[in-house]
Every structure is written in C-alpha cells, then in structure tokens.
Amino acid sequence: MDNSDETPCLFPPPDRLRNESHVKSMDDYKEMYKRSVEDPEGFWGDIAKQFYWASPPTGKFVDYNFDCRKGRISIKWMEGAKTNICYNAIDRHIKNGQGDKIAFFWEGNDPADHDSGNITYSQLKDKICKFSNILKQSGLKKGDRVAIYMPMILELTVAMLACARLGIIHSIVFAGFSAESLADRILDGQCSAIVTADGVWRGSKLLNLKSIVDVALEICSKRDHKLSHCFIVKHLLPKGHSVQQNGDCVDYPEEKPAQRPTRSLKINWTDGRDVWWHDVMGTASTDCEPEWMDAEDPLFMLYTSGSTGKPKGVLHTVGGYMLYSATTFKYAFDYQPDDIYWCTADVGWITGHTYVAYGPLNNCATSIIFEGTPFFPDAGRFWAIIEKYKVTKFYTAPTAIRALMRYGDEYVTKYDRSSLKVLATVGEPINPEAWLWYHNVVGNKQCAVVDTFWQTETGGHTITPLPGATPTKPGSATFPFFGIVPVIMSDEGVEITDPNVEGYLVFKQPWPGLMRTVYGDHERYETTYFKKFPGYYCTGDGAKRDEDGYIWVTGRIDDMVNVSGHLLSTAEIESALVEHPTVAEAAVVSHPHKIKGECTYCFVTLKEGKEFSDALVKELMDRVRKKIGPFAQPDFVQNAPGLPKTRSGKIMRRVLRKIAVGDKNVGDITTMADETVIDKLFQLRPPEA
Ligand code: PRX
C-alpha cells in the first residue's frame, strides 16, 4: 500500500490494552525480538516448555539450509522430539482443569440456527476420539492423506483434529472449490478418504456438497484413483430422517426458518464407500490414544495457487507449526483467557487452519465458528454476532470491511461493540480508508487495529503489530513477528537499506512455522521460494520500509492476483479459458477493484472465424467458475484479436495491465513485435471497464 503522498498518521496502542497486554511497549518488543532472532533455540525452547512432549529432541533444536547453492533446502525444528498437536490443543487443557471451558460457539448461516452449537473442550475431545477410532477402524493410519471438503461446522474441526491425533495428513479443500479443483487436489495428495457434508446454506444459496464430491470422486476414479471411504455429515437433513438414497429426493426439514426457500436435496449413494457420519459416531469409543509424532512429521497440506498454474500442496509439520500458530495467536491478538475471539475466515484457507483451529485451541481459547456470510440476513450480521457473544478480538479480511463500509455506519452503530479490543485484518493490503473506518466506526477509536501480513507458506503471521506495544500506521503491517528477519531485496539481489525504496520482500532465516516442502515436489519448493535469492525465502510480494522502519507490503510481484484475499494464478485462469473451443489464446492480468482489492481482466484471442459476443463472455466466465470455483470468476473478458508480444513471443503483461485500466501511457514498447495491436485493444475495451 503506497500512501507516500499522504502524511501517515500514527496511532498509539490504546491504554486499556497496554496495561493488560503481554508486550507493553516497543522496548519490550525489541528486547524479545532481538532474543528471538539471535537465540532462536532459547526463545522457542522456552515456549516449547509450555507444551507436552512425550520425549525431547534427539538432535539440534534447529537445523537448516536456506541456501540452494549449498545443497538441498531443509528446515528442521526439534527433530526427534515426540508430541501430538491434538493432545496439546485439547487433552492438555482438560488435564489442567479446563475441560468445561467452551472451545467453540457455533453460529449458523441463519440467525435462527445457533442453538446447541456450543462445545466444551471435553465434549470436543470425545467427538475427536470417536472420529479417530472410526478412521482407524476404516484402515486409515499415520502418513495417509484424508481430504476434507466441509462447511464451517464443528464437525470440520473434529475431522481435522482426529486426523492430527492419528498422524493422518489432512488436506482441507475450501468448500467453494469446484469438483475439478477438488479432484486435482485429491489426486495430487493421493488421498485415501474424504470427509464432507450433505450440503450447506451460504446466505440464501443452497449448495449440495455431496454432489460436488460425487463428481470429484468420479473424476478420480477415471484417473485410476479410488477412495475407500466418503464420510458424510448430515448437516442439513434432519437427523432422524430416513434418507432415500440412490438418487431419490430427500426433503428439507419442515421447521426450516422463514428465509429459506423450500428446496430439496438429492443425495446419491455409493454403497461400500459412502458412510453417514452419525451412523458410525454413535457407537464409537471416546477413548483414543494419540499417535506420538516426530516434531518433523507432516501435519497437513494445504493447496495454494502457483504461478505456473498447478496448485502447490504446502506442507507443514507438527512441532514447528504447533509452536508458531500458538505463539502468533497469543501475541498478535494479545490473547487473554477471558477473551471471546472470532476469526471469520473459512477453515478451508490457511487463516482458518491457524487462527480458527490450531492457534486458538493451543491457547485454550473460546472462539466462534461462523457458517454464514457478512451480508445475510443483512449487512449488520458481523456486528450482531459481536454484540451477541461479546467478542473481544476480531479478525477479518479487508475485502469484507470495504464491502460493509458501503452499507453505511448505521449497520454497525446499532449494535453494541464495546467488548471489542483488537480488530485484525489479513489477506491483502488494507487501504487507509478502510483501515480508518475499521478503527473509527467499528472500533469506536478504542481498539488496536492489527494488519497481519503472512502466507499459506509461512504458517502464521510474519509481519504484524502487537496490540499493546506497536504504534500503527494505516496501511502498514508495521514490524516483524518474533523470529522473522525481513529484508527488502533489489532485483539484482542486493539488500535495500534506503527508506521508501521498493523491492522484493524476503526472509533471511527460518522460523518454526515455515513450510517444509511442496508435497511430492521438493524441487518446485526450492525453485519457487529459494532460487531467486539464494540464502533467503522469497515471499513473491513487493515491500518497502519507510524512514521509521515500518514495512509497507505493496502486493504480488509475480503473476498472481489477490481477489478478495484469495490468491489466484493468472496461468490457471488462462488455461481454463483456452480449454474453450473458440479460444486460441488468453492473457489474464490484475485490475483494481473497489471491494475485492483486485480482480481479473482477461484478454482472449479467438480462433479464426469465431465471433466474440456477450453470450461467449458469459460462457467463458462460467467456465472459470466451473473449473476453479465461483470465487475465481473474472470480472472482465475482452476480445483481443492480437496480444502485445515481444519479438521473442513473450506476452507483455505490463502493457495489458495499462490497457485494462484505460491508461494510454503504456511505457516502453520498443521490444514489441507489432505495435498496432495496442490501439485495437484500447478500442475493444468493454464499456464497463
Ligand atoms: O500477497 C500477500 C497477501 O496474500 C498473500 C498470501 O496469500 P495466502 O497464501 O492465500 O494467505 C492469505 C492469508 C494469510 C501474500 O503473499 N497478503 C496477505 N496478508 C497481507 C497481504 N498483503 C498485504 N498485507 C497483508 N496484511
């Protein structure tokens, strides 16, 4: 976020937070930070003592090679130590007398749905153990992969923690991804089983998740991969209802709240593979000994977009991720035992993994799991939930803040938000206007605004203010978290120390939560993150430091587009477009968007004799939705009889970005093969762009 032409103002931490917070001043932060980077073993070793370990590390506390010139990239923390993250997240607190504390309040899509959604740590443990036993009885074991494709319901956390308890690697796929995307991920991870639900209401839309899973599993079986089990949570269907399977229609609950249209849900059934969750949970035992895992054993993989188009299975390991998720949660939100914490992210993304599940649970926190959307039944939903549960710490995305701002302040101010202390954001740069609205209107100028910069790959926050210590500047993620050494690097690989000079944001040494590999493709891991600047982890984002040392992340420098906080690969969208029989070539670039931050703008070159039309635009948009998921739908599709290319045939994306926004100042085009295409492309811009 570049606001260099404005005078940035400084917001000191609110006094009421400073007094109770873990880190009360910048001096305290600097002292802790210094220790964390100079003596990582001492710093993280002390934190590790708060967790349960069945045995200590057998070798070095931390051992790594960050420099691909010196050999294979490897990162190991506490190798040889034995632990279990599920035990630490659940059993440890029960042993400490916290079994009756509420782990989650569940808030359904419909405000009328909330009842009986609360679960204590003891109740959660019983369910996790039951499902662990079911997984075990189904023949699943340590090291196997299980896909999870579920709505935001408590069973999602039960399923992921049951996997973690047994050392099964979970691969959660956001339940907004298409059947094809789900199939790609199942195949890449060679998952043996999947956990899903019958369906979910998202706002006023009904999604039949089971049918999406059926299509995905069909694709897998055509590619010779059969899953042994598909566990289905009966979330929408009345629990006692006898389901007519094999394609018959199953009716919806009769007592459905008024907002819901009458619909029916069709559940196809594959005998021998499909299992109703409730059919097996009832009789399963609530005792299940955890599998004692090596700190460096894999915990989960989570797919993130790759600039070449194929998503990467980011792999995190047990011990380091456990320490890092818990520690970032504690400090960045300044977690206190009486907090009611709410992160609005879906567990299908990394923010949900780390800050809905593992981070809060490892701190014995009480949080909210919200199934719905910020706009249903109206744009006051977030603030209604904050009032209802007296939320103290709130974490959401700038895109949601921007969207809600447009509805006016009354939606916010009619609810009591006096419980709030920390307002955090994640996923994309937050523009100062949205930051200020969040601070002034939502927080009533009483809260710390915490802009957290991190990635799926980093496991947890890497650059973030600390609520009681850091004076904030709207639009800056401020300073590094403990253990993180950020460097701004020039394209030539020289560290930039001058203020306000933009470069690549890279990190100089590993921290416990950094990903260890790309599942099944270590070479891609090395190439993507470590080849460009040997000795550094490359984020792929641009950043600069101002004269006060504040870090300003300016956005992706590679061919990725951040749409509403979701990282999309332009190459993946291009490949969906060229699959259409009329399209010869496609080039996708980022375009600014008022609410989403960025959106995608697609240039398509049609095959000889094919006509560009509104109907084709719709078909192409639908194609991307179907191929990747609804959240990836492009905003603009433009006819491009020719694309600007260099003489060597490379598409000049920087020129396309200018055309997309209607900026005639396209820069240096001396290397372009045919300059006449530019005028043509300007003429063909869609009127709404
Ligand atoms: O471009 C950065 C942006 O989101 C990317 C990471 O996306 P993903 O792996 O999907 O994880 C999102 C949630 C952690 C980054 O490379 N990004 C994330 N947070 C910020 C951000 N950009 C600017 N400021 C942020 N606070």
Side-chain angles (χ1 to χ4, degrees):
M1 176 56 51
D2 187 353
N3 75 343
S4 50
D5 43 357
E6 294 166 22
T7 315
C9 30
L10 204 60
F11 290 77
D15 284 339
R16 63 189 189 126
L17 279 195
R18 192 195 294 266
N19 299 336
E20 69 174 27
S21 62
H22 298 296
V23 184
K24 294 182 171 56
S25 69
M26 280 305 275
D27 284 346
D28 289 357
Y29 158 72
K30 284 179 189 153
E31 200 180 308
M32 287 175 75
Y33 176 74
K34 190 166 184 290
R35 180 168 183 237
S36 74
V37 296
E38 290 176 359
D39 175 20
E41 175 164 357
F43 183 86
W44 294 107
D46 281 352
I47 289 171
K49 285 181 195 141
Q50 295 151 31
F51 291 81
Y52 177 79
W53 302 86
S55 64
T58 48
K60 281 188 182 170
F61 189 85
V62 48
D63 195 8
Y64 72 96
N65 173 35
F66 237 40
D67 188 340
C68 47
R69 293 167 307 195
K70 296 187 184 148
R72 190 177 197 274
I73 300 292
S74 89
I75 300 159
K76 290 174 177 162
W77 288 82
M78 302 164 289
E79 199 179 21
K82 298 279 186 231
T83 189
N84 184 287
I85 193 169
C86 174
Y87 182 90
N88 274 290
I90 309 289
D91 307 46
R92 179 169 59 105
H93 309 312
I94 297 170
K95 291 219 154 54
N96 289 338
Q98 301 275 302
D100 291 336
K101 186 167 180 182
I102 289 187
F104 294 116
F105 289 109
W106 180 74
E107 174 77 16
N109 175 65
D110 196 298
D113 275 348
H114 72 280
D115 285 339
S116 77
N118 312 340
I119 192 163
T120 65
Y121 275 84
S122 294
Q123 291 165 338
L124 190 55
K125 175 172 176 259
D126 287 352
K127 285 192 193 274
I128 292 165
C129 286
K130 276 172 173 262
F131 195 60
S132 299
N133 284 321
I134 291 161
L135 290 170
K136 242 199 241 177
Q137 284 152 20
S138 307
L140 294 151
K141 54 183 190 313
K142 180 179 172 183
D144 289 345
R145 279 81 51 214
V146 165
I148 299 179
Y149 186 77
M150 288 175 91
M152 284 287 281
I153 53 178
L154 295 173
E155 288 85 350
L156 169 53
T157 52
V158 171
M160 74 195 286
L161 285 153
C163 288
R165 195 169 187 88
L166 298 181
I168 293 169
I169 304 168
H170 58 71
S171 174
I172 304 182
V173 180
F174 169 60
F177 273 108
S178 65
E180 281 187 50
S181 294
L182 173 60
D184 286 346
R185 285 155 176 75
I186 294 172
L187 287 166
D188 188 75
Q190 290 289 294
C191 297
S192 315
I194 184 164
V195 190
T196 188
D198 47 2
V200 64
W201 285 97
R202 205 163 278 153
S204 51
K205 264 192 238 138
L206 172 65
L207 300 178
N208 185 332
L209 297 182
K210 171 66 165 64
S211 72
I212 299 173
V213 170
D214 285 340
V215 175
L217 299 192
E218 183 68 38
I219 298 172
C220 291
S221 80
K222 283 197 185 125
R223 292 197 234 159
D224 288 332
H225 183 72
K226 277 214 156 40
L227 282 78
S228 63
H229 293 84
C230 173
F231 299 98
I232 307 131
V233 175
K234 218 189 228 185
H235 171 51
L236 294 178
L237 299 166
K239 303 279 182 292
H241 196 101
S242 73
V243 178
Q244 303 289 301
Q245 288 149 1
N246 284 324
D248 288 340
C249 281
V250 175
D251 287 331
Y252 255 76
E254 265 129 47
E255 336 70 281
K256 63 187 177 307
Q259 292 96 328
R260 290 179 182 170
T262 305
R263 295 280 294 270
S264 58
L265 193 71
K266 199 171 170 183
I267 299 288
N268 285 318
W269 200 257
T270 301
D271 284 329
R273 180 196 76 189
D274 292 350
V275 181
W276 281 116
W277 169 284
H278 63 273
D279 275 353
V280 284
M281 282 291 274
T283 50
S285 155
T286 53
D287 282 323
C288 179
E289 184 60 17
E291 180 81 31
W292 298 110
M293 307 283 290
D294 193 293
E296 278 303 330
D297 277 335
L299 170 65
F300 68 81
M301 58 218 243
L302 178 59
Y303 286 83
T304 186
S305 300
S307 54
T308 56
K310 186 176 182 278
K312 304 177 288 256
V314 168
L315 190 103
H316 285 286
T317 54
V318 175
Y321 178 82
M322 178 169 81
L323 294 195
Y324 203 67
S325 56
T327 309
T328 47
F329 175 81
K330 172 176 169 183
Y331 289 105
F333 304 127
D334 199 56
Y335 169 70
Q336 303 293 337
D338 55 353
D339 272 334
I340 304 292
Y341 161 83
W342 180 23
C343 167
T344 65
D346 193 288
V347 173
W349 305 109
I350 190 68
T351 306
H353 279 61
T354 306
Y355 300 113
V356 174
Y358 289 114
L361 291 174
N362 271 297
N363 281 278
C364 195
T366 295
S367 356
I368 293 164
I369 290 190
F370 176 45
E371 182 189 38
T373 84
F375 313 103
F376 185 81
D378 64 37
R381 190 70 193 278
F382 272 5
W383 326 119
I385 295 174
I386 285 171
E387 176 183 275
K388 175 170 162 186
Y389 295 98
K390 299 192 171 35
V391 171
T392 53
K393 311 280 163 83
F394 180 61
Y395 195 25
T396 195
T399 186
I401 298 168
R402 284 192 296 266
L404 292 169
M405 266 171 85
R406 299 203 313 170
Y407 288 85
D409 298 358
E410 306 74 57
Y411 274 105
V412 183
T413 51
K414 74 174 181 197
Y415 295 103
D416 178 6
R417 291 128 25 247
S418 57
S419 54
L420 286 170
K421 293 179 177 176
V422 171
L423 296 173
T425 69
V426 58
E428 54 186 311
I430 178 163
N431 48 313
E433 195 196 352
W435 195 104
L436 289 169
W437 186 79
Y438 203 29
H439 179 265
N440 294 340
V441 179
V442 177
N444 205 16
K445 302 186 181 168
Q446 304 289 308
C447 300
V449 174
V450 173
D451 171 5
T452 63
F453 168 85
W454 59 294
Q455 307 177 294
T456 305
E457 294 87 338
T458 67
H461 306 138
T462 53
I463 299 176
T464 177
L466 302 183
T470 316
T472 47
K473 293 184 185 185
S476 167
T478 74
F479 299 107
F481 189 73
F482 304 128
I484 304 287
V485 184
V487 168
I488 313 287
M489 191 72 98
S490 77
D491 209 18
E492 297 75 38
V494 179
E495 293 194 11
I496 297 171
T497 47
D498 289 341
N500 297 316
V501 179
E502 197 174 326
Y504 289 80
L505 176 63
V506 301
F507 297 130
K508 209 172 186 168
Q509 62 189 48
W511 58 96
L514 179 58
M515 73 185 286
R516 302 298 197 257
T517 191
V518 170
Y519 185 82
D521 197 349
H522 196 70
E523 199 181 321
R524 188 165 180 210
Y525 172 63
E526 297 187 341
T527 313
T528 311
Y529 305 104
F530 295 96
K531 277 264 157 72
K532 186 160 176 67
F533 302 115
Y536 301 84
Y537 165 84
C538 185
T539 60
D541 283 287
K544 61 187 179 183
R545 269 203 187 87
D546 69 14
E547 45 293 316
D548 302 323
Y550 282 67
I551 294 171
W552 298 76
V553 178
T554 49
R556 301 294 306 181
I557 322 195
D558 51 14
D559 292 330
M560 307 278 239
V561 184
N562 193 326
V563 180
S564 302
H566 302 319
L567 215 50
L568 299 176
S569 149
T570 51
E572 199 179 2
I573 298 171
E574 286 160 8
S575 87
L577 293 169
V578 295
E579 277 176 15
H580 192 279
T582 62
V583 177
E585 194 170 19
V588 176
V589 294
S590 161
H591 183 278
H593 188 284
K594 271 203 159 75
I595 306 292
K596 302 178 189 176
E598 292 177 54
C599 65
T600 50
Y601 190 113
C602 311
F603 293 86
V604 292
T605 307
L606 301 186
K607 288 182 184 157
E608 273 307 306
K610 301 289 178 193
E611 287 250 327
F612 195 83
S613 64
D614 288 350
L616 177 66
V617 168
K618 187 170 177 312
E619 260 180 55
L620 293 173
M621 287 184 171
D622 284 350
R623 188 159 203 97
V624 178
R625 280 175 76 92
K626 187 161 173 282
K627 181 90 188 164
I628 304 172
F631 59 90
Q633 178 175 310
D635 280 52
F636 303 103
V637 176
Q638 139 153 30
N639 185 13
L643 289 168
K645 291 186 183 167
T646 60
R647 277 178 218 110
S648 59
K650 202 168 175 315
I651 294 173
M652 297 176 81
R653 287 167 194 282
R654 78 179 156 76
V655 174
L656 290 176
R657 277 192 286 269
K658 294 278 187 180
I659 297 169
V661 293
D663 181 354
K664 295 263 168 154
N665 189 6
V666 293
D668 180 9
I669 48 168
T670 48
T671 58
M672 195 180 288
D674 173 12
E675 292 175 18
T676 62
V677 297
I678 295 185
D679 278 347
K680 189 91 199 132
L681 290 177
F682 272 112
Q683 284 163 22
L684 290 170
R685 290 179 72 243
E688 67 278 12

